[in-house]
């Protein structure tokens, strides 16, 4: 992704991007938008903490 090597520095950068983007208030807003429009509401919020932790504790494969 982004033509970068998936090393520790890159994983830390990705984790920072997800930390900055994950705001429970924004999640709530989008859930309400989906409800008002009658769309099926996805439950993605639990994914963010797990993904951030996985990126921070990633291992070389």
């Amino acid at each position: 992704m982004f033509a970068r090597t998936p090393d520790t520095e890159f994983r830390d950068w990705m984790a920072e991007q997800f930390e900055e983007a994950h705001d429970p208030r924004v999640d709530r807003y989008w859930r309400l938008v989906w409800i008002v429009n009658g769309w099926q509401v996805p439950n993605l919020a639990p994914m963010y903490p797990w993904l951030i932790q996985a990126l921070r504790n990633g291992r070389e494969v």
Side-chain angles (χ1 to χ4, degrees), residues 14-35:
M14 287 290 294
E16 288 174 16
Q17 303 308 304
F18 281 107
E19 285 172 335
E20 291 174 6
H22 177 64
D23 182 339
R25 295 170 298 178
V26 173
D27 290 340
R28 177 70 178 148
Y29 168 80
W30 284 113
R31 288 179 64 79
L32 292 173
V33 168
W34 284 61
I35 290 168

Side-chain angles (χ1 to χ4, degrees), residues 1-2 4 10-23 48 51-52 55-56:
M1 181 172 192
F2 304 114
R4 293 181 62 174
F10 178 69
R11 287 190 305 268
D12 286 343
W13 177 81
M14 287 290 294
E16 288 174 16
Q17 303 308 304
F18 281 107
E19 285 172 335
E20 291 174 6
H22 177 64
D23 182 339
Y48 290 107
L51 181 58
I52 293 165
L55 287 166
R56 294 273 187 219

